Amino acid sequence: MDKTITLCMIVKNEEKYLKRCLESVKDKVSEIVIVDTGSTDGTLVIAEEYTTKIYHFKWVDDFAAARNESLKYATSEYILVLDADEYLESDADLQKDIKPDYDYFLLKIYNDVSYGRAFTHTAVRLFANNRGLHYNNRLHEHLNILDAKTNYKSQYGEVIIHHTGYTDEIMQEKEKTKRNLPLMLQEVEENPGAYNLYNMGKTYLSINENAKAIEYFQRAYPLSSGRMFLPELITKLCYCLGELNQYDDSLKILNDAVKVYPLETDMRYMQGRIFMDAGYIKDAEITLKSCLEFGGDLGVSVTEGTGGYMTRFVLAELYEDQNQLDESYKYIVEVLQEKKTFAPGLSKYFEIVTKSNIPLDDVYQNIIQLYNISNINDLQLLLDVLYGLRHPLLNRFISVYSITAQPNVAASAMQYDKKYIEAKDMWLSMEDIQIENAVDILLLSFVLDNEELFNLAKPH
């Protein structure tokens, strides 16, 4: 017999994402509870399409308080917690994951990030109702599953939750870091435990304040024995040390840590990157190749591709730096075969074939077969990369696919396809010149010895 499940959500101004979330879960739960903390857009109108159990909660700078408010209204046997920018796959089976003898279930969160990448971590999102489980922490709220007086039993589930909130555009839109920092500082001052110190380090890492991140990671480390996030803490600490050129300190930690955590691809990948940055090329080569022997991404928290295309990308860079272009080309081709939408990989492919002096016609034929444009998004990404590189093939793809490009893109395409006169006429006919094209116009002014183009570029 199926168990009843309540979806509990807290929301504020989520009209862009809420419908997708609720559509994905409406047939998988018994009831939907939504607690609004002050929406001023169309969030509540969308919510009303799916439930009548909508409540209002005055925001008090405390995510745990808002979460616990939503739990108060749940009447089902189990509770599912999602954010508006998350959704379930169509074949997600929550009933299959529920085991009566367990109190809470760890589900995988698949986080989309920029440039076609992703990382995965696990979190408690499905748990039994009316068993004393509640949220703690003003920010980075979590259930009281580790309280000394509790003896809750856990199990891993198979359901995957997709999260899109980490893309650059959404992060900028929500200004999450600006919002989070004051709350985190207050939380750490009140409760300086391992989890809070670790998240404080991550917060500083997210705004590139690596020295401060290191301070909090180091404070969290001795308190984190046995905690699920410890391998990620070590990896992020070593990344920050590397960013500050403290390579020996980073490697001293990593060389010991990979022995303790031999199946963490993120950690092994980081070790390879630090070896490479420190100039230990042979060690980097051996370590990175060992990542590929895992046969995939392994670990509690993993960045997509550290056991595959990301490691191959770094190996392509390593061999490129050593001028071993045949080896570099081999690995970058493997990157595109595994993850063609990885924009840095696509860009690196064109850089390597240019260095290798491969004829343009051959490059064109190769990319047609290798990249295999199957939809408009594939084509858009390819054009974006070619424009960013100012690559001569940009004009050919615009022509072959009958693209009506923006004037500055069309002019750049002509210019780097060596159709200089056509490009000149296009630049001179534009009313507004983008600052990103000033160098293009300046270059063409020298190629054509054209004062009019020079004057067009000069204000920028």
Side-chain angles (χ1 to χ4, degrees):
M1 182 175 177
D2 284 352
K3 300 295 183 180
T4 57
I5 303 172
T6 297
L7 170 66
C8 288
M9 299 183 68
I10 60 173
V11 299
K12 181 181 179 181
N13 294 336
E14 298 287 2
E15 65 178 5
K16 290 186 179 179
Y17 319 108
L18 183 59
K19 190 174 187 67
R20 179 186 63 183
C21 174
L22 296 178
E23 277 292 319
S24 76
V25 78
K26 66 179 183 179
D27 298 325
K28 305 180 192 300
V29 298
S30 312
E31 70 175 351
I32 295 174
V33 170
I34 293 180
V35 168
D36 183 75
T37 61
S39 292
T40 56
D41 63 358
T43 295
L44 295 181
V45 175
I46 296 170
E48 287 167 357
E49 297 177 22
Y50 296 88
T51 183
T52 59
K53 303 193 74 170
I54 299 172
Y55 306 92
H56 300 276
F57 181 76
K58 184 178 179 180
W59 180 244
V60 292
D61 287 340
D62 191 326
F63 279 90
R67 294 280 186 208
N68 290 331
E69 180 72 9
S70 71
L71 303 188
K72 283 170 42 178
Y73 304 105
T75 63
S76 301
E77 298 165 276
Y78 290 86
I79 292 172
L80 171 70
V81 172
L82 294 177
D83 288 329
D85 55 5
E86 298 174 335
Y87 62 95
L88 300 183
E89 295 178 328
S90 59
D91 60 350
D93 189 347
L94 294 168
Q95 296 294 333
K96 184 178 178 182
D97 281 347
I98 292 175
K99 306 291 191 298
D101 294 334
Y102 294 93
D103 302 292
Y104 65 91
F105 307 93
L106 292 137
L107 305 183
K108 283 188 177 180
I109 317 292
Y110 183 88
N111 303 275
D112 291 316
V113 293
S114 297
Y115 306 113
R117 298 193 64 198
F119 72 92
T120 304
H121 73 283
T122 56
V124 181
R125 293 302 193 86
L126 183 63
F127 53 94
N129 194 12
N130 300 316
R131 295 188 193 176
L133 286 162
H134 62 271
Y135 282 95
N136 296 321
N137 260 41
R138 182 174 281 103
L139 184 66
H140 297 295
E141 68 281 9
H142 59 278
L143 290 173
N144 60 321
I145 55 178
L146 296 177
D147 289 357
K149 297 179 181 179
T150 64
N151 190 28
Y152 293 117
K153 294 176 64 178
S154 65
Q155 178 68 277
Y156 283 91
E158 296 181 10
V159 166
I160 295 175
I161 299 171
H162 287 265
H163 176 219
T164 57
Y166 280 116
T167 61
D168 284 347
E169 298 81 4
I170 296 175
M171 286 290 284
Q172 291 167 4
E173 180 182 318
K174 293 188 174 181
E175 297 185 320
K176 284 186 177 180
T177 302
K178 291 181 181 178
R179 180 199 70 194
N180 289 352
L181 188 56
L183 293 180
M184 275 302 302
L185 288 169
Q186 185 177 350
E187 185 67 45
V188 167
E189 184 177 348
E190 295 173 357
N191 301 295
Y195 188 71
N196 285 339
L197 291 167
Y198 161 65
N199 280 302
M200 192 72 249
K202 288 206 301 182
T203 300
Y204 276 117
L205 172 59
S206 71
I207 56 177
N208 298 318
E209 293 194 25
N210 294 302
K212 288 185 177 179
I214 289 169
E215 174 191 340
Y216 283 97
F217 287 143
Q218 288 176 332
R219 287 175 61 188
Y221 177 77
L223 305 175
S224 303
S225 178
R227 300 296 292 270
M228 186 181 297
F229 57 78
L230 183 54
E232 185 180 3
L233 185 158
I234 294 170
T235 303
K236 291 185 183 303
L237 168 62
C238 292
Y239 168 82
C240 293
L241 289 167
E243 287 296 289
L244 297 178
N245 299 326
Q246 297 177 31
Y247 301 126
D248 288 343
D249 290 339
S250 181
L251 288 172
K252 183 178 179 180
I253 297 169
L254 284 167
N255 292 344
D256 290 334
V258 295
K259 298 173 185 175
V260 179
Y261 300 102
L263 298 179
E264 292 282 339
T265 51
D266 274 27
M267 187 180 290
R268 190 72 61 87
Y269 169 83
M270 184 58 62
Q271 184 187 31
R273 286 301 307 260
I274 299 296
F275 272 136
M276 184 173 164
D277 292 342
Y280 302 123
I281 302 304
K282 194 63 182 177
D283 289 315
E285 181 183 14
I286 293 170
T287 302
L288 290 166
K289 286 184 176 179
S290 73
C291 290
L292 301 179
E293 295 171 3
F294 283 84
D297 306 329
L298 300 180
V300 174
S301 177
V302 296
T303 305
E304 182 187 87
T306 51
Y309 72 89
M310 273 304 303
T311 293
R312 292 185 169 92
F313 177 79
V314 177
L315 282 166
E317 289 186 313
L318 183 150
Y319 287 121
E320 180 190 15
D321 291 342
Q322 302 304 305
N323 207 34
Q324 298 181 44
L325 296 180
D326 287 346
E327 282 294 296
S328 182
Y329 180 79
K330 182 188 82 170
Y331 279 104
I332 204 62
V333 166
E334 291 178 0
V335 169
L336 295 185
Q337 288 172 335
E338 183 180 345
K339 185 79 171 181
K340 71 175 185 178
T341 56
F342 179 48
L346 188 57
S347 181
K348 180 60 66 178
Y349 171 83
F350 286 109
E351 292 173 10
I352 291 170
V353 296
T354 298
K355 285 185 178 182
S356 302
N357 293 317
I358 298 176
L360 271 181
D361 286 341
D362 291 347
V363 174
Y364 177 78
Q365 294 300 328
N366 289 342
I367 201 66
I368 286 291
Q369 295 179 11
L370 183 61
Y371 188 67
N372 185 26
I373 299 170
S374 58
N375 56 57
I376 190 65
N377 292 328
D378 288 347
L379 179 59
Q380 184 64 60
L381 176 60
L382 178 60
L383 294 176
D384 287 345
V385 167
L386 291 171
Y387 173 69
L389 294 171
R390 302 303 197 265
H391 197 281
L393 284 181
L394 175 61
N395 198 40
R396 188 179 302 190
F397 279 100
I398 287 175
S399 176
V400 167
Y401 286 90
S402 302
I403 300 296
T404 303
Q406 294 176 332
N408 64 317
V409 175
S412 297
M414 284 289 184
Q415 177 172 328
Y416 293 97
D417 197 20
K418 298 186 178 181
K419 294 179 171 55
Y420 298 133
I421 302 302
E422 293 92 329
K424 179 200 74 171
D425 293 340
M426 294 173 76
W427 289 125
L428 293 176
S429 68
M430 290 184 205
E431 294 183 6
D432 296 313
I433 298 298
Q434 303 292 322
I435 193 168
E436 68 187 67
N437 297 120
V439 172
D440 303 315
I441 297 169
L442 183 65
L443 174 61
L444 189 59
S445 76
F446 282 103
V447 170
L448 296 178
D449 193 20
N450 186 285
E451 188 173 357
E452 196 174 5
L453 284 170
F454 182 83
N455 290 332
L456 189 63
K458 194 161 58 171
H460 298 290

